[in-house]
Amino acid sequence: MKKFFLKLSHLAVVFAVALMAACEPTPNTGTDEPGPEPGPEPTPTPELNVQFTASLVQAGSSSAEIKLTTKDIAKYAYVVETKDATLTPDIIFATGISETCKDGETTVVVSGLSPATNYVVIFAAATVADEFHTELAKVSLSTSAFTEELTIY
């Protein structure tokens, strides 16, 4: 009788395995409705060789001339501070003076400065891919004292 129950339990295991194999989902054979057609391959973004520097050309008593050298830059913005400040490009573009530019050199004239004062002009840039350039360009300058010949009669 013991052998009978042993064979019966083996038969039950085989039956359970066969039943589980029959209940497994079948793989998709492609007879279902087709999915959407794949779209065109995305155009790869060209590698940018961004260059963005600023240098002081000259400073007068109420203005300064600064040279920007750019490559793959579409626009720039700047703010004028009396001391170095920690700013981000989005803040500079939101609060500063913004202009477009082309590759090469651009002259920026910063006016409305006070005589005999130290300034930091902080520039931010946006690339031709319409992204902020991560590095800021800073120019420190000192305006000269106001001098004008005065004739007393």
Side-chain angles (χ1 to χ4, degrees):
M1 186 84 175
K2 192 176 185 183
K3 284 186 176 186
F4 173 74
F5 283 117
L6 186 61
K7 287 184 181 186
L8 185 63
S9 66
H10 285 280
L11 184 61
V13 169
V14 170
F15 178 72
V17 169
L19 185 62
M20 287 175 31
C23 292
E24 281 187 27
T26 57
N28 188 356
T29 59
T31 58
D32 296 337
E33 290 183 28
E37 289 292 320
E41 289 292 319
T43 305
T45 304
E47 188 68 30
L48 298 179
N49 186 17
V50 175
Q51 180 183 4
F52 184 62
T53 60
S55 59
L56 179 65
V57 176
Q58 67 179 4
S61 60
S62 62
S63 65
E65 187 177 322
I66 298 171
K67 178 178 72 172
L68 293 180
T69 305
T70 60
K71 180 162 181 6
D72 290 336
I73 298 293
K75 57 187 172 181
Y76 67 89
Y78 68 91
V79 293
V80 180
E81 301 287 335
T82 54
K83 60 182 179 181
D84 197 3
T86 304
L87 299 174
T88 57
D90 56 336
I91 291 173
I92 295 172
F93 271 94
T95 61
I97 298 170
S98 180
E99 296 288 335
T100 59
C101 65
K102 297 187 185 294
D103 287 353
E105 293 182 355
T106 303
T107 300
V108 179
V109 176
V110 180
S111 58
L113 305 177
S114 297
T117 307
N118 295 326
Y119 291 100
V120 178
V121 184
I122 306 170
F123 289 89
T127 66
V128 292
D130 204 24
E131 297 174 345
F132 289 133
H133 182 51
T134 55
E135 296 178 29
L136 302 176
K138 297 181 180 184
V139 175
S140 296
L141 63 96
S142 297
T143 54
S144 58
F146 185 72
T147 57
E148 185 175 307
E149 287 189 26
L150 179 62
T151 305
I152 301 176
Y153 294 101

